[in-house]
Amino acid sequence: MTFARQFMLYLLCTICVLSAGAQTVTGVVTDERSGEALPFANIVYDEHLHTKTDAEGRFSITHKSGKLKISMIGYESQTIATPNAGEYQIRLKATDNVISEAVVTSEKKKYSRKNNPAVELMKKVIEAKKQSNLREHDYYSYEKYNKTVLAFSDVNEKSFEEGFLKRFPFLKDHIEVCNETGQLILPVSVDESVVRHIYRKDPESDKTIILAERSNGVNELINSGQMLSTMLKDIFADVDIYEDKVYLLQHQFLSPIATHGAIGFYRYFITDTLLVDRDSCFKVDFTPNNAQDIGFSGSLYITKDSTYRVKRTDLSIPHRSSVNFVDEMRIIQQFEQLESGEQVMVSDDMLVHLKIVDFLQKMQVKRTTNYREFSFRHVPARYFKVMGQESIDPKAHMRDEAYWEKQRSEDLSHSEKGMKTFVKRLQEIKALKPIIFVGKAFIENFVETSTNPEKPSKVDIGPVNTVITHNFVNGLRLRASAQTTANLHPQIFLRGYVAYGFRDNKWMGLGEATYSFNKKGYLPREFPVNNLTFTYNRDVMAPSDKFLPTDKDNVFVSFKWHTVDHMMYYEYYRLLWDREWANGLRFKAQLRTQKDEPTAAMFFQSLDGTGAPSQDASLYRKQLRTSDLSVGITYQPGVTWVNTKQRRIPSNHDAPIYGLSHTSGIYEHMGQNHFYHLTEANLYKRFRLASWGKIDAYLKGGVQWSQVPYPLLIMPAANLSYIKEDQTFELIRNMEFLNDRYASLMIEWDLSGKLFNRIPLIKKLKWREFLGCNVLWGMLSNKNNPFLEQNRTNHRLYYFPGRFQADGSYQYLSHVMDPKVPYVEVIAGIHNIFKLLHIEYVHRLTYTDLPGIDKWGIRFMLRVKF
């Protein structure tokens, strides 16, 4: 879901900057004699625009009025006029020596790794990688300068002379020509950073020190942290081909020189020998075996000596790749040899063209990275004592322009320098203010109370998606919510809501005050938190609502596949201290007192020896009061976050999670207090499977050590909504199983189109497969089992939830699990439907004989991914 926010931001900017879509020239390049497709043919448009054909000889390039030159080693070059956009069939004529070979070979020659000089060369390149491993030194360090520019591409000048944009002539002042493509672009954000990376071998430690950092552009329109900057950094990450696995575009790519798997995944072709910076090099073209698999294509330039060093790379992804939204990508990297012999990357330039849908303006991301000041000198120990992987120099956000000019290898362009003026002009346009206002509310789920950039919002209204909703007890429910921001006070924050139910005619609400020991930019949850929060809340909920990762009043999760009429009014006071450190360690301590009052079909009745509950309401307990102390610790090394106004979203799901918590409390029963103790642990881990996608595994377990009434037992994390929610069971009903010991395992396997990409016709849809399995082991010890004879008159236990039938009998909703029979549900789904929709089929395999259960169901969600 992380990219969804950036996707919405893109739509917002598109409304502000409308222009006509660019036309393209597409085509297929084939051998004139045999008709075979020619991969890696060079396509050049008037010496400005460059591209290559993919593994099937196809290409796509922006249309220009001019001539297109097609060339390939072993074939005569051809130049054609392209007066109109469209598809062109291009047949290249082989030179004489190739023709004579073609006569001998009567059929297409299959690619073979055996006796293939390109494969043998690449094996030597892979073997030589270890000679450039900087980690063999006791210490090393280097500096890195990075600039990332987001821009609208293929901008049409006519758009500013007619129609809607004619009213905003200042936009034309910010248009410039992209040097790499020759196209007109409109930059909308510029991010720059300077970091120093340090390494120590013993004890091993890696640290990144942010020396300077700044961001200008449309990111300033969003007040919930550096959302756009963070997403651009995460999605368009650095590419190091000397690492086996490369994380880019939220996918794992296999390096073309990976030690494990590259030879089997890629096809290699030696196509030329040439000089690169005075070094004689082999040019090796490569492409994935299957063009739709997630992998690179392009060229490697390998030195023609015994070192087999990579001198230069020219990387892209095949046009038919299953990666979403990327119309074209090119990464050019330069490498140099240090005096100590290692080959290191000194420049890394990335250019990506994005296309969400055909009728929206294309976007361009240009990232420029330079590496310098490599050193193997001793690094003082104090630099490694900093918690976390990153530390920020105190002056990082205060660097003057003279500092930045010294760091850059090339000056900022006119438009990049004028980014602050560009954003200010956008904010001053009266016609755009309501559009930006509505767009921000849609993106952020909150409405700001000020649209004046000179007087930013001190109070935000929202979440918007909780204003109107419904449930079994309230019926139609209206809610008004608000929260203060750091513009009111950087350390004191208030949040709350009032709600009214039209069926029960009751008012409910929440009031919360937070003191942050650290000054915040906008909201108290910004990483790292060190907050003390007091909360008062009176409302109504189903017991299973506590497992929802979203707000329980979210209108989209209010539509249930099963009637949820076992609910309770609750009222609690809570004091929470939440502290986290830069290394991913988080500690929580909470004091709470709570009163629960059952309502609708839910009731509390102590066991009375009759063997079944009574319909006489006078026997029901009106409430259950508890008071407890909870402490918990979570460790999530390497996690990075995107701040939104409603919650923080992890942008790096590869960071594992280790969690442990314990609660000790007392509950009141018949005038006496009884102690209870609950311990839970959880583990999350992502497993990357190269071209087979990724597996996410969630393992949880817990023990209720004490004898308690059923509201204090452990219930499964049930999701009663049609909307898929992560880490929940999809076909377990509200409180269906009650345990005092449990373990659960949830497995989600995203195959990233590995199977669908090999099925004709289906592969054109770019659908991706999804498989899953949720398993729950549970047991209820004798001391908490209300069905045992020994507990028939134990007043500390309650009858389990259920419903009275028309004949007066009682049918239990909650059941005791067989410790030898786990609950199992399996999932098969398809996602990336229209690049947006995830649909899955869920089937229940065990406990299918229980009354009122659903054996299968359909769940869906909107999930935008690359």
Side-chain angles (χ1 to χ4, degrees), residues 285-554:
D285 292 340
F286 64 93
T287 186
N289 283 317
N290 186 315
Q292 285 193 285
D293 281 345
I294 295 176
F296 294 110
S297 63
S299 302
L300 300 173
Y301 297 81
I302 312 299
T303 57
K304 288 180 62 179
D305 56 30
S306 59
T307 64
Y308 299 105
R309 293 173 289 117
V310 177
K311 184 66 177 178
R312 184 173 185 264
T313 69
D314 189 345
L315 308 176
S316 63
I317 58 175
H319 288 293
R320 294 175 56 233
S321 169
S322 60
V323 175
N324 288 329
F325 311 120
V326 177
D327 196 43
E328 188 174 358
M329 179 180 76
R330 193 176 186 191
I331 303 171
I332 297 178
Q333 300 174 327
Q334 301 286 348
F335 296 80
E336 291 182 2
Q337 190 174 25
L338 301 177
E339 291 182 0
S340 54
E342 293 87 357
Q343 190 80 348
V344 296
M345 182 162 52
V346 293
S347 69
D348 179 13
D349 298 330
M350 176 188 293
L351 187 66
V352 183
H353 287 97
L354 303 174
K355 182 172 69 173
I356 307 299
V357 289
D358 290 337
F359 59 85
L360 289 179
Q361 182 70 39
K362 288 184 181 180
M363 299 201 73
Q364 172 181 296
V365 176
K366 181 183 176 182
R367 194 202 67 205
T368 303
T369 306
N370 295 313
Y371 299 83
R372 62 202 179 204
E373 297 186 23
F374 289 87
S375 172
F376 301 108
R377 292 192 298 270
H378 175 269
V379 180
R382 67 178 184 272
Y383 291 109
F384 296 98
K385 293 180 180 180
V386 179
M387 299 286 282
Q389 290 295 111
E390 284 188 350
S391 63
I392 301 179
D393 188 288
K395 298 180 181 179
H397 297 109
M398 298 182 291
R399 303 294 188 182
D400 58 20
E401 192 58 38
Y403 173 89
W404 286 106
E405 289 178 359
K406 184 179 179 181
Q407 301 300 319
R408 300 182 188 116
S409 58
E410 59 181 28
D411 291 337
L412 295 181
S413 68
H414 171 74
S415 298
E416 293 167 359
K417 290 179 180 177
M419 194 56 59
K420 285 187 176 294
T421 303
F422 169 74
V423 173
K424 185 177 180 180
R425 285 180 169 181
L426 280 180
Q427 293 173 325
E428 291 173 349
I429 299 174
K430 291 184 178 181
L432 289 182
K433 284 186 177 180
I435 298 176
I436 295 176
F437 180 82
V438 173
K440 290 174 68 175
F442 181 56
I443 297 166
E444 300 174 326
N445 205 21
F446 278 80
V447 176
E448 297 176 2
T449 54
S450 172
T451 58
N452 185 351
E454 303 298 327
K455 298 179 179 179
S457 177
K458 296 180 179 180
V459 178
D460 291 344
I461 308 300
V464 175
N465 61 10
T466 63
V467 173
I468 302 176
T469 186
H470 67 91
N471 60 58
F472 187 86
V473 173
N474 291 149
L476 176 66
R477 173 184 171 104
L478 298 181
R479 171 175 147 176
S481 313
Q483 63 185 16
T484 65
T485 75
N487 298 315
L488 181 65
H489 196 285
Q491 290 178 274
I492 299 176
F493 300 87
L494 303 176
R495 182 174 73 94
Y497 67 79
V498 291
Y500 183 77
F502 286 85
R503 177 178 293 172
D504 61 350
N505 297 313
K506 288 192 175 184
W507 288 94
M508 286 141 286
L510 174 142
E512 184 174 275
T514 297
Y515 178 77
S516 173
F517 294 94
N518 306 322
K519 289 186 177 181
K520 297 298 181 180
Y522 200 81
L523 291 173
R525 68 181 66 94
E526 295 167 5
F527 181 84
V529 301
N530 186 8
N531 300 339
L532 188 65
T533 302
F534 176 77
T535 307
Y536 169 78
N537 189 200
R538 173 165 174 76
D539 210 329
V540 66
M541 66 178 290
S544 59
D545 285 345
K546 65 182 179 181
F547 300 110
L548 289 174
T550 184
D551 195 301
K552 70 178 182 61
D553 289 336
N554 186 328

Side-chain angles (χ1 to χ4, degrees), residues 680-681 700-703 714 739-744 776-779:
E680 291 187 284
K700 298 180 181 180
V703 179
I714 304 170
N739 305 300
D740 57 14
R741 283 144 176 77
Y742 85 99
S744 68
L776 172 68
W777 292 268
M779 67 168 291

